[in-house]
Amino acid sequence: PGNTGFKVWNTRKGVIGVGICWDQWYPEAARIMTLKGAELLIYPTAIGFDNDDTQAEKNRQIEAWKTIQKSHAITNGIPVITVNRSGFEKNTESDSLGISFWGNSFVAGPQGELIQQFSSDKEQTDVVSINFSRSENIRRIWPFFRDRRIDAYEDILKRFKD
């Protein structure tokens, strides 16, 4: 996880929020950055498989990862760029084999639709066009921000169920 809170930055292209690796799994991080004005969320990650995982387990992990990123886009009505390492890195400090990063970087639009999907096994770069005006339209169709239940959020501040 990042250690500086959930920040946003004004850029020439718009306001961006960046969540560091582990923060990508938490809806609170995406929501806070969006409430601070983010028009785009970016999640740089280094996530991969345990080499002992079965192929079925690897598939479940990738699909869960893609689903949570698309969910951030949908529930906040903004595009999400998810960037992940690819390739294998040997562990030189232990007997462990290392880690196989699963790649699969992608860009999702404000309804979770895939705008661009990248390779699972090689480095790639590309310029991806994002239509920021769609976010406002989507937020009118799906008014998740307007209809938030802030009166019921007290329990989210508790770490565990009482």
Side-chain angles (χ1 to χ4, degrees), residues 32-76:
I32 289 168
M33 290 185 287
T34 306
L35 287 171
K36 289 182 173 182
E39 300 168 289
L40 171 72
L41 297 176
I42 303 173
Y43 288 99
T45 64
I47 189 169
F49 304 115
D50 181 312
N51 289 302
D52 293 330
D53 287 341
T54 65
Q55 188 59 50
E57 177 59 22
K58 292 176 182 180
N59 292 342
R60 285 189 294 270
Q61 289 178 23
I62 287 177
E63 289 308 310
W65 177 72
K66 288 179 179 179
T67 298
I68 197 70
Q69 304 314 309
K70 290 178 184 182
S71 296
H72 295 327
I74 294 165
T75 60
N76 291 291

Side-chain angles (χ1 to χ4, degrees), residues 7-158:
K7 295 184 176 183
V8 300
W9 291 269
N10 290 311
T11 72
R12 290 180 296 154
K13 299 293 183 179
V15 182
I16 63 168
V18 180
I20 304 300
C21 204
W22 189 240
D23 294 331
Q24 72 185 321
W25 294 99
Y26 299 93
E28 300 88 348
R31 180 54 52 95
I32 289 168
M33 290 185 287
T34 306
L35 287 171
K36 289 182 173 182
E39 300 168 289
L40 171 72
L41 297 176
I42 303 173
Y43 288 99
T45 64
I47 189 169
F49 304 115
D50 181 312
N51 289 302
D52 293 330
D53 287 341
T54 65
Q55 188 59 50
E57 177 59 22
K58 292 176 182 180
N59 292 342
R60 285 189 294 270
Q61 289 178 23
I62 287 177
E63 289 308 310
W65 177 72
K66 288 179 179 179
T67 298
I68 197 70
Q69 304 314 309
K70 290 178 184 182
S71 296
H72 295 327
I74 294 165
T75 60
N76 291 291
I78 61 175
V80 172
I81 298 175
T82 304
V83 182
N84 189 40
R85 288 182 63 181
S86 61
F88 178 78
E89 184 175 302
K90 183 174 174 50
N91 187 341
T92 58
E93 297 181 13
S94 77
D95 293 335
S96 170
L97 294 175
I99 188 169
S100 296
F101 297 98
W102 64 45
N104 280 281
S105 299
F106 65 93
V107 179
Q111 289 179 299
E113 72 279 12
L114 278 179
I115 295 173
Q116 178 85 14
Q117 173 74 53
F118 292 89
S119 174
S120 63
D121 59 357
K122 65 181 179 180
E123 290 184 22
Q124 291 178 281
T125 58
D126 201 356
V127 175
V128 178
S129 294
I130 296 173
N131 180 350
F132 288 102
S133 66
R134 280 198 65 236
S135 294
E136 184 61 33
N137 294 332
I138 297 307
R139 287 182 179 171
R140 286 190 182 109
I141 296 167
W142 290 347
F144 298 138
F145 273 30
R146 183 197 70 199
D147 296 346
R148 289 181 307 130
R149 294 282 318 275
I150 60 175
D151 58 308
Y153 287 179
E154 183 178 315
D155 287 342
I156 202 167
L157 298 175
K158 298 176 183 173

